Amino acid sequence: AEALSLFEVLPLMVQQGLSIVFISHKLGEVLRVSHRIAVLRAGKLVAQVPAAGSTQAQLAQAMVGHAVEAPQRHAAKAVDKSESGEVCVMTGVSTTSTGRDRLADVSLTLRSGEMVAIAGVSGNGQVALADLLCGMRQAVSGTVMLMGQPLIASPAWLVSQGVARIPEDRHAVGVVGDLPLWENAVSERLRSPAFSNRGWVRQKAARAHARRVMEAFDVRGGGPQTQARSLSGGNMQKLILGRALLPVQGDVRTAPRLII
């Protein structure tokens, strides 16, 4: 509703003789509000077109440098419990909280090869569920089984079991802004023999892994020594995704089995 109000006000400002620069990657809004569109890619001006007659597909191609195909959706195959097993089973789980965000007698089953979406207005248990499955919160009643064994409320243990975490707040929770990218890239795997030995960090291996993450997920904005806070929000998000999804080279055991 606020965006619609803004788009009603902008033409009135233009009628008064003002010039407006509207910066966005939301192409529908760009086409709606603009008379003329300029596209930047890698710091260079790559296109200038009138909004009239332009399409989102054309603008997207100019933005990324190649044609962007729409994803094709296919029906998922039912998961055979006897073959794939149940990755996580929650039975009658409740948590305590000083506020509204808590779980009350929740039962939920997550199976291999499926995506489960949790919907609800903010403050109605989503954070409690994510915290519980990431080891940041304990259940006061009920049981949580992770790949056949009781879940331990320990983030380090959950990482070792293949639980990958992508926090909703990338700035406050996802990264440590004052640390360089390479430290953030391995921050959840520092106990792995690949990156530490008797308490000493294997910096060469950690930096090499950070470079793999940055290359595989196209993290732009600096090298492994760059402070995380200097990244744009999108590149910060790609760093977090890469940290969660990219296994340590040569160690298939570090591939995620459950992504929160």
Side-chain angles (χ1 to χ4, degrees):
E2 292 174 346
L4 293 176
S5 297
L6 172 65
F7 296 150
E8 291 174 358
V9 171
L10 291 181
L12 300 178
M13 298 171 69
V14 172
Q15 290 174 13
Q16 296 172 11
L18 296 175
S19 298
I20 296 173
V21 177
F22 182 76
I23 302 174
S24 177
H25 60 269
K26 297 182 178 180
L27 300 182
E29 294 182 357
V30 169
L31 288 168
R32 171 173 180 168
V33 77
S34 305
H35 296 117
R36 192 159 48 93
I37 300 170
V39 178
L40 291 174
R41 186 174 74 243
K44 296 182 179 180
L45 184 65
V46 296
Q48 292 189 77
V49 296
S54 297
T55 66
Q56 292 193 38
Q58 292 170 340
L59 295 178
Q61 181 169 344
M63 288 170 67
V64 301
H66 56 79
V68 179
E69 297 182 3
Q72 299 295 318
R73 293 183 176 270
H74 303 282
K77 295 181 180 179
V79 177
D80 186 338
K81 289 174 59 178
S82 63
E83 294 180 0
S84 302
E86 295 166 334
V87 173
C88 182
V89 180
M90 301 172 57
T91 306
V93 173
S94 297
T95 63
T96 59
S97 175
T98 56
R100 290 170 50 207
D101 198 272
R102 62 187 181 88
L103 300 180
D105 193 27
V106 170
S107 296
L108 181 67
T109 299
L110 308 175
R111 295 186 177 89
S112 177
E114 70 176 0
M115 291 183 285
V116 177
I118 306 298
V121 178
S122 180
N124 282 276
Q126 300 95 310
V127 172
L129 176 62
D131 284 353
L132 178 72
L133 295 178
C134 292
M136 305 295 290
R137 191 179 302 206
Q138 285 185 307
V140 295
S141 63
T143 60
V144 185
M145 302 296 291
L146 181 69
M147 284 161 292
Q149 55 186 325
L151 184 144
I152 299 174
S154 162
W157 181 81
L158 285 160
V159 168
S160 72
Q161 299 301 305
V163 177
R165 180 186 71 130
I166 303 172
E168 76 175 308
D169 190 334
R170 58 195 174 205
H171 294 280
V173 182
V175 301
V176 181
D178 289 334
L179 294 184
L181 300 186
W182 74 264
E183 290 195 59
N184 276 281
V186 301
S187 60
E188 296 190 345
R189 299 191 184 277
L190 277 178
R191 297 190 184 192
S192 166
F195 303 130
S196 65
N197 179 28
R198 298 181 181 180
W200 293 92
V201 177
R202 299 179 184 269
Q203 293 195 23
K204 184 178 180 180
R207 289 192 178 94
H209 181 71
R211 283 191 288 270
R212 286 194 293 271
V213 169
M214 296 173 71
E215 291 171 2
F217 287 79
D218 194 24
V219 180
R220 304 181 185 184
Q225 289 294 135
T226 304
Q227 280 190 336
R229 69 169 65 257
S230 68
L231 294 184
S232 67
N235 282 290
M236 195 178 292
Q237 191 71 58
K238 288 190 286 185
L239 176 69
I240 295 168
L241 285 167
R243 179 180 65 196
L245 303 181
L246 189 69
V248 177
Q249 192 171 41
D251 189 354
V252 296
R253 296 171 301 175
T254 57
R257 301 180 66 184
L258 172 63
I259 303 168
I260 311 298

